[in-house]
């Protein structure tokens, strides 16, 4: 199990893109990682865009970035809500400061924009926020997955296999 002893935060908020949360969580667990769902409240059930629920293990204020090896931000409409929490911004900035893997897919780039960590980085996202990513100082590339150091980004659900292969590779070598 190549990711044994790795701990990952998966952020969660209502209207997450169901596949963009659950596919990465299950993929990481298959490789032995421990994944904690982290939301604004502990033990709260959030609903995905298509109705798949996710119950948080912890609240943003309960976790310490130093105790984790990586963080995942799902897409959907959740990122527009997630980026409003100071705790989320702090977690992402601390992960970035320590060059720990940060995964973002689809609209999740909004969280990285609000954390102000994209200047000079190469990324991808849903084309719908391409201009936002570029205005934040990133170079936007229309590829299924883009890896720039510890930042792993992807466009949409059909890209999930390439995205999670890249994320797992970066995390395994962290």
């Amino acid at each position: 199990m190549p990711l044994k002893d790795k701990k990952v935060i998966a952020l969660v908020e209502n209207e997450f893109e169901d596949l963009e949360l659950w596919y990465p969580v299950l993929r990481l667990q298959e490789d032995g990682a421990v994944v904690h769902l982290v939301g604004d409240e502990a033990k709260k059930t959030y609903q995905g865009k298509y109705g798949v629920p996710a119950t948080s293990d912890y609240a943003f204020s309960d976790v310490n970035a130093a105790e984790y090896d990586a963080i995942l931000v799902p897409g959907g409409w959740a990122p527009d809500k997630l980026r409003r929490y100071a705790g989320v911004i702090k977690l992402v900035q601390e992960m970035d400061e320590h060059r720990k893997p940060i995964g973002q897919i689809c609209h999740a780039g909004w969280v990285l924009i609000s954390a102000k960590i994209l200047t000079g980085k190469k990324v991808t996202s849903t084309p719908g926020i391409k201009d936002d990513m570029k205005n934040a100082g990133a170079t936007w590339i229309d590829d299924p997955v883009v890896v720039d150091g510890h930042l792993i980004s992807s466009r949409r659900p059909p890209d999930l296999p390439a995205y999670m292969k890249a994320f797992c590779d970066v995390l395994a070598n962290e």
Side-chain angles (χ1 to χ4, degrees):
M1 300 229 279
L3 299 180
K4 186 178 181 294
D5 300 323
K6 298 290 186 180
K7 286 177 61 179
V8 179
I9 293 169
L11 298 175
V12 65
E13 177 54 88
N14 284 316
E15 298 187 84
F16 61 87
E17 164 55 58
D18 305 57
L19 284 172
E20 293 171 0
L21 175 70
W22 285 113
Y23 184 108
V25 167
L26 296 172
R27 177 69 184 82
L28 288 165
Q29 290 172 337
E30 286 174 344
D31 272 2
V34 171
V35 182
H36 291 144
L37 299 182
V38 180
D40 67 321
E41 296 177 37
K43 308 300 179 202
K44 178 178 174 181
T45 299
Y46 299 86
Q47 294 298 316
K49 281 175 49 178
Y50 303 106
V52 178
T55 302
S56 59
D57 298 300
Y58 299 105
F60 308 131
S61 60
D62 296 336
V63 295
N64 179 348
E67 296 174 4
Y68 288 87
D69 301 295
I71 191 167
L72 285 169
V73 187
W77 304 126
D80 191 33
K81 298 170 186 177
L82 287 167
R83 67 183 176 164
R84 300 174 197 192
Y85 294 108
V88 168
I89 299 305
K90 182 177 183 241
L91 283 171
V92 170
Q93 288 173 336
E94 288 176 2
M95 290 288 189
D96 183 60
E97 181 182 332
H98 295 285
R99 302 194 51 77
K100 293 182 180 182
I102 299 171
Q104 66 95 20
I105 185 167
C106 199
H107 286 84
W110 278 337
V111 174
L112 280 64
I113 289 167
S114 292
K116 299 182 180 5
I117 65 167
L118 292 181
T119 301
K121 302 295 183 184
K122 294 179 188 146
V123 295
T124 195
S125 66
T126 178
I129 67 165
K130 171 177 90 171
D131 291 341
D132 300 329
M133 301 290 270
K134 291 167 80 173
N135 289 338
T139 299
W140 190 86
I141 302 166
D142 189 14
D143 281 337
V145 64
V146 173
V147 177
D148 188 346
H150 64 291
L151 297 180
I152 305 95
S153 57
S154 195
R155 299 177 302 192
R156 53 187 157 261
D159 300 328
L160 281 163
Y163 171 56
M164 287 315 297
K165 166 109 177 57
F167 186 87
C168 289
D169 287 349
V170 171
L171 181 56
N173 293 314
E174 193 247 9

